[in-house]
PDB file of all heavy atoms in Angstrom:
ATOM      1  N   CYS A  97      -1.464  33.840 -15.468  1.00 92.00           N
ATOM      2  CA  CYS A  97      -1.609  34.951 -16.417  1.00 92.00           C
ATOM      3  C   CYS A  97      -3.085  35.138 -16.729  1.00 92.00           C
ATOM      4  O   CYS A  97      -3.755  34.204 -17.156  1.00 92.00           O
ATOM      5  CB  CYS A  97      -0.830  34.670 -17.696  1.00 92.00           C
ATOM      6  SG  CYS A  97      -1.088  35.956 -18.931  1.00 92.00           S
ATOM      7  N   LYS A  99      -4.376  36.733 -19.024  1.00 85.00           N
ATOM      8  CA  LYS A  99      -4.676  36.857 -20.457  1.00 85.00           C
ATOM      9  C   LYS A  99      -4.665  35.491 -21.135  1.00 85.00           C
ATOM     10  O   LYS A  99      -5.650  35.084 -21.721  1.00 85.00           O
ATOM     11  CB  LYS A  99      -3.670  37.789 -21.130  1.00 85.00           C
ATOM     12  CG  LYS A  99      -4.223  38.414 -22.401  1.00 85.00           C
ATOM     13  CD  LYS A  99      -3.518  39.722 -22.685  1.00 85.00           C
ATOM     14  CE  LYS A  99      -4.313  40.591 -23.653  1.00 85.00           C
ATOM     15  NZ  LYS A  99      -3.682  41.917 -23.805  1.00 85.00           N
ATOM     16  N   CYS A 100      -3.547  34.768 -21.025  1.00 87.00           N
ATOM     17  CA  CYS A 100      -3.438  33.493 -21.750  1.00 87.00           C
ATOM     18  C   CYS A 100      -3.699  32.310 -20.833  1.00 87.00           C
ATOM     19  O   CYS A 100      -3.748  31.172 -21.286  1.00 87.00           O
ATOM     20  CB  CYS A 100      -2.069  33.361 -22.408  1.00 87.00           C
ATOM     21  SG  CYS A 100      -0.712  33.102 -21.267  1.00 87.00           S
ATOM     22  N   GLY A 101      -3.850  32.556 -19.546  1.00 87.00           N
ATOM     23  CA  GLY A 101      -4.150  31.466 -18.625  1.00 87.00           C
ATOM     24  C   GLY A 101      -2.951  30.615 -18.239  1.00 87.00           C
ATOM     25  O   GLY A 101      -3.096  29.633 -17.506  1.00 87.00           O
ATOM     26  N   ALA A 102      -1.775  30.974 -18.725  1.00 91.00           N
ATOM     27  CA  ALA A 102      -0.581  30.190 -18.403  1.00 91.00           C
ATOM     28  C   ALA A 102      -0.348  30.148 -16.899  1.00 91.00           C
ATOM     29  O   ALA A 102      -0.480  31.166 -16.216  1.00 91.00           O
ATOM     30  CB  ALA A 102       0.638  30.790 -19.093  1.00 91.00           C
ATOM     31  N   LEU A 136       0.176  39.415 -15.662  1.00 93.00           N
ATOM     32  CA  LEU A 136       0.504  39.112 -17.056  1.00 93.00           C
ATOM     33  C   LEU A 136       1.841  38.409 -17.141  1.00 93.00           C
ATOM     34  O   LEU A 136       2.827  38.879 -16.561  1.00 93.00           O
ATOM     35  CB  LEU A 136       0.568  40.407 -17.876  1.00 93.00           C
ATOM     36  CG  LEU A 136      -0.762  41.114 -18.156  1.00 93.00           C
ATOM     37  CD1 LEU A 136      -0.513  42.416 -18.904  1.00 93.00           C
ATOM     38  CD2 LEU A 136      -1.688  40.207 -18.957  1.00 93.00           C
ATOM     39  N   CYS A 137       1.883  37.305 -17.850  1.00 95.00           N
ATOM     40  CA  CYS A 137       3.148  36.629 -18.089  1.00 95.00           C
ATOM     41  C   CYS A 137       3.982  37.484 -19.054  1.00 95.00           C
ATOM     42  O   CYS A 137       3.465  38.411 -19.671  1.00 95.00           O
ATOM     43  CB  CYS A 137       2.911  35.235 -18.653  1.00 95.00           C
ATOM     44  SG  CYS A 137       2.363  35.228 -20.366  1.00 95.00           S
ATOM     45  N   LYS A 139       5.089  37.001 -21.957  1.00 93.00           N
ATOM     46  CA  LYS A 139       4.603  37.019 -23.341  1.00 93.00           C
ATOM     47  C   LYS A 139       3.478  38.021 -23.510  1.00 93.00           C
ATOM     48  O   LYS A 139       3.494  38.866 -24.392  1.00 93.00           O
ATOM     49  CB  LYS A 139       4.074  35.632 -23.732  1.00 93.00           C
ATOM     50  CG  LYS A 139       5.151  34.650 -24.124  1.00 93.00           C
ATOM     51  CD  LYS A 139       4.490  33.374 -24.635  1.00 93.00           C
ATOM     52  CE  LYS A 139       5.522  32.294 -24.933  1.00 93.00           C
ATOM     53  NZ  LYS A 139       4.879  31.020 -25.293  1.00 93.00           N
ATOM     54  N   CYS A 140       2.453  37.881 -22.646  1.00 91.00           N
ATOM     55  CA  CYS A 140       1.269  38.736 -22.771  1.00 91.00           C
ATOM     56  C   CYS A 140       1.605  40.179 -22.447  1.00 91.00           C
ATOM     57  O   CYS A 140       1.010  41.104 -22.994  1.00 91.00           O
ATOM     58  CB  CYS A 140       0.162  38.222 -21.883  1.00 91.00           C
ATOM     59  SG  CYS A 140      -0.428  36.616 -22.450  1.00 91.00           S
TER      60      CYS A 140
HETATM   61 ZN1   ZN E 203       0.046  35.101 -20.632  1.00 78.96          ZN
END
Side-chain angles (χ1 to χ4, degrees):
Chain A
C97 176
K99 204 155 198 174
C100 71
L136 289 177
C137 73
K139 279 186 185 174
C140 294

